[in-house]
Amino acid sequence: MNARFEPSGRLRGTLRVPADKSVSHRAAIIAAMAAEPVRIGNYLDAADTRSTLRAVQELGALVDAREGELVIRGCGLRNARSAAGTIDVGNAGTLMRLLPGWLAFQAGLRFTLDGDASIRRRPVDRIAQPLSEMGARLEAREGRYPPFTIHGAPLRGIEYRLPVASAQVKSCLLLAGLVTEATTVVEPVPARDHTERLLLRAGAPVARTGSGLGEYRTTVCAADELELERIDIPGDLSSAAFLITAGVIVRGSRLVLEDVGVNWTRAGFLRVLERMGAIVLGDVEPEGSFSALEPATDLDVQSAPIEGTTVDGDEVPLTIDELPLVALLGCFADGDTVVRGAAELRVKESDRIATVVSGLRGLGADIEALPDGFAVHGTAGLRGGSIDAHGDHRLALLGAVAGLASAEGVEVAGMEAAAVSYPGFTADVAALLS
Ligand code: S3P
């Protein structure tokens, strides 16, 4: 589906962005692992998180939607059921990498996970290798790609140092660690910590040490069962980031985005924006915090002139899904904007270094690809044109925001991809323009 986004007037108003995708996936999986029913408020209704609900149902969890909340009656930690066939994760990389952490200890059962064309290009060896060290038996196409088969087995604890910062790999190992004496994941630099927070809420023995943007160690020990009554999911900062960017670069805009999750391990984009001179006000969680809660705030965004910045190393995992927007902001900034140390972008829903660079260049940007990021020379705006989403939700949304701020408008080919995380995006933009 093609959609056209014309240069817009200013964006004004107050709205709620969709619920956090990362927290929704985790809430459904952890509820399915729990012994008692869990109520989930504000579960994300989008393609990715629907895949997760279908998956946990196939594994024996019961899911009821009632009065604006979900109730999930889980299987208990060790009692997942054998699924009737292959579990289809759709486009959801988080589901593909987290669920095996639970399935790996369903001794005697065998599960196969598969997904769409994008999922089949994304590596699972990053979880297969440590899970097999723990005692699981796994099979992947060419040893690396889905379909991915897991033979559940008794697991032993390991200490694992992540070779690349990945919250998905960390989360998978922490879930698997719930039946081991102790499993420790060492992160050279921190990545999002939603799994640890939810496990803490569910009464699992979890300890996390570290400070600032340095090394973190998270240990889980054997839990009898997980128990938590209710999870309320805040708005998704990664979805809000598209409207924030539009608010910054479309002249005269003023937006308030309500109840956005601002866990500091997700909020790198807000710090990057601040350095660029953008005006985004809100109460962001202090760096290094760790608690069972997911903090949220209202974000107040105003358009402003911005300047280039550099994002590298430590900051990348905290900003990973917003880096395409840093490139777009760079087009509107004074000076150069450079992102480095982000080779992980190549294994996202698309190769986001290649797709962002070719997409924005097609709209008139002065941007070049680096092996591990990109460099943008600010040109005080974008001409417009057309951009292909390559089946990647964040590319479709990037194209749409570029269109609103462009001189001539942008045609997005494959806008339907936005339904993975933000199905109501076009309607939300229309509301802010009316
Ligand atoms: C996610 C973690 C990130 C992110 C992805 C969602 C998560 O991936 O890019 O969109 O929910 O854990 P990695 O942990 O592989 O970097």
Side-chain angles (χ1 to χ4, degrees), residues 20-23 25-26 48 93-95 97-98 122 126 164-171 191-192 194-195 238 266 317 319-322 344-345 347-349 352 393-394:
D20 191 288
K21 181 159 84 67
S22 283
V23 179
H25 283 304
R26 287 159 171 79
D48 247 27
T94 302
L95 177 58
R97 301 214 181 73
L98 264 61
R122 301 180 65 191
R126 49 182 59 199
V164 283
S166 168
Q168 294 179 347
V169 177
K170 169 176 63 169
S171 300
R192 65 190 71 185
H194 307 302
T195 305
S238 298
R266 283 291 292 286
T319 320
I320 188 76
D321 292 335
E322 290 68 68
E344 272 296 291
L345 288 177
V347 291
K348 296 298 177 190
E349 286 83 332
R352 284 191 183 148
H393 57 130
R394 301 210 195 275

Side-chain angles (χ1 to χ4, degrees), residues 370-407:
L370 307 173
D372 60 347
F374 31 74
V376 191
H377 181 65
T379 43
L382 273 183
R383 182 193 63 234
S386 59
I387 186 169
D388 191 328
H390 294 281
D392 181 338
H393 57 130
R394 301 210 195 275
L395 249 291
L397 294 162
L398 178 80
V401 174
L404 300 176
S406 68

Side-chain angles (χ1 to χ4, degrees), residues 316-393:
V316 163
L318 308 180
T319 320
I320 188 76
D321 292 335
E322 290 68 68
L323 293 175
L325 286 169
V326 174
L328 176 60
L329 285 157
C331 300
F332 288 77
D334 191 20
D336 292 339
T337 297
V338 180
V339 171
R340 284 187 298 237
E344 272 296 291
L345 288 177
R346 297 209 181 267
V347 291
K348 296 298 177 190
E349 286 83 332
S350 64
D351 171 347
R352 284 191 183 148
I353 294 179
T355 53
V356 167
V357 169
S358 70
L360 289 180
R361 198 178 276 159
L363 304 180
D366 182 353
I367 180 168
E368 64 172 300
L370 307 173
D372 60 347
F374 31 74
V376 191
H377 181 65
T379 43
L382 273 183
R383 182 193 63 234
S386 59
I387 186 169
D388 191 328
H390 294 281
D392 181 338
H393 57 130

